[in-house]
Amino acid sequence: MSHSEKVLIADDDVHLQRAVTRQLRDAGYATAAVSDGKAALDALEQEAFSIALLDLEMPGVDGFGVLEALQRNTDGPVPIVLTGAGDVRRAVRALKLGAFDFLEKPCNPELLKNAVRRAMDYKAAKAHSRRMETIAQQWQATFDASPDVVIVTDLDGRITRCNRAAGALARQHPDAMTGRDVHEALCGNAHPDEECPLLVPHEQDGPQSGEHEIRSGWYEISCEPLKSGTGELWGRMLVARDVTRSRSARIKLMESESRYRALFE
């Protein structure tokens, strides 16, 4: 079994270096080995590693020094420290500096491979979380760029996400609207729940649209169902476009046309 991830081994014990390198390569991992903390930092500057196995006692820059440097690099490798037998105090200090795990030397091959595998899983989970956070930020930026009111609700009409335009209409920060009933947040006491254009009965899973009055303005409201990959309805997206001016102009035009026709009747 081969892995694309690479492990950096930093230990001044050449025999341990060779043993750990052999064990990890047998497990399918690529490795590189250095003998002190300065060389480890140089290697981390020049190449990307997924895991760093660090001996705490090395000449020059020790394992603690490397850990402190790694704390400043959120995209760096996941550190696992190598300690002497029974050296719990130093291991605890290393964990406080961000070490993912610690192993006593000499390393048990199965414990070593298990620790590296868990650290790889942890790094993958962190990368996935960062990607999801980036996507969420990009999605929110797209939301906020829209002049229209955009709101996502669950099936009970509670807001799960909304943009700045929605917050401006409700006179609240968008984050403060999360979890609130959409009717309460935007309409207040303007009309009963059953007449609210923002609340759609559960049994209706098709798109809805129409013009409605909200907070002394008129909005063209469209409602689209949100479904999972299996087709299960889980929420709705509401988009409200301010049509107050265009509606007023349309009404004035109709009134003018009516008066004009009256002249010839």
Side-chain angles (χ1 to χ4, degrees):
M1 181 171 121
S2 63
H3 302 271
S4 59
E5 299 91 347
K6 193 167 187 178
V7 181
L8 176 65
I9 304 163
D11 197 303
D12 59 342
D13 185 333
V14 177
H15 296 294
L16 185 138
Q17 266 190 32
R18 291 173 179 169
V20 170
T21 296
R22 183 177 62 255
Q23 291 162 11
L24 292 179
R25 287 184 176 175
D26 288 346
Y29 296 103
T31 64
V34 295
S35 298
D36 58 70
K38 176 63 168 58
L41 293 175
D42 290 342
L44 293 171
E45 284 281 337
Q46 298 166 11
E47 194 173 350
F49 292 89
S50 296
I51 307 295
L53 288 173
L54 306 172
D55 181 21
L56 290 179
E57 293 187 14
M58 291 184 289
V61 179
D62 61 11
F64 293 112
V66 179
L67 284 173
E68 289 172 354
L70 288 177
Q71 280 189 317
R72 299 188 290 270
N73 181 8
T74 57
D75 292 326
V78 178
I80 298 173
V81 297
L82 307 175
T83 70
D87 197 353
V88 177
R89 182 180 59 83
R90 289 165 64 84
V92 169
R93 180 187 169 195
L95 293 175
K96 289 181 178 179
L97 284 173
F100 174 76
D101 201 354
F102 67 92
L103 295 169
E104 291 187 351
K105 299 189 293 184
C107 298
N108 177 288
E110 290 306 313
L111 292 179
L112 171 65
K113 286 184 282 189
N114 182 55
V116 169
R117 184 176 63 253
R118 289 188 296 105
M120 291 290 186
D121 291 342
Y122 172 73
K123 185 173 179 64
K126 279 184 64 178
H128 178 73
S129 177
R130 283 196 299 269
R131 286 194 298 271
M132 292 300 100
E133 183 178 348
T134 299
I135 291 172
Q137 290 172 348
Q138 292 172 343
W139 196 53
Q140 188 64 46
T142 302
F143 255 23
D144 288 338
S146 173
D148 297 336
V149 172
V150 183
I151 298 173
V152 175
T153 72
D154 61 17
L155 293 180
D156 293 323
R158 297 203 171 274
I159 298 170
T160 59
R161 187 179 291 273
C162 65
N163 67 349
R164 289 177 184 169
L169 180 61
R171 301 182 182 90
Q172 293 186 45
H173 191 281
D175 291 345
M177 295 174 66
T178 301
R180 292 193 62 191
D181 180 274
V182 66
H183 167 69
E184 175 198 313
L186 292 180
C187 306
N189 299 319
H191 46 250
D193 288 12
E194 57 270 18
E195 296 178 10
C196 182
L198 303 176
L199 293 177
V200 181
H202 286 201
E203 60 272 14
Q204 295 184 20
D205 63 355
Q208 311 284 324
S209 63
E211 287 188 6
H212 303 275
E213 187 176 13
I214 301 177
R215 291 185 180 268
S216 301
W218 282 87
Y219 290 82
E220 180 184 1
I221 300 173
S222 62
C223 174
E224 291 288 338
L226 298 174
K227 298 183 179 182
S228 66
T230 60
E232 181 181 359
L233 181 67
W234 63 266
R236 293 182 173 85
M237 177 178 285
L238 303 168
V239 179
R241 175 164 296 175
D242 190 343
V243 295
T244 305
R245 290 185 178 179
S246 61
R247 186 176 187 277
S248 176
R250 188 168 68 247
I251 291 173
K252 289 180 180 179
L253 178 60
M254 291 171 61
E255 291 174 347
S256 296
E257 290 176 346
S258 178
R259 287 194 299 268
Y260 180 76
R261 283 195 299 269
L263 293 175
F264 297 94
E265 291 178 355

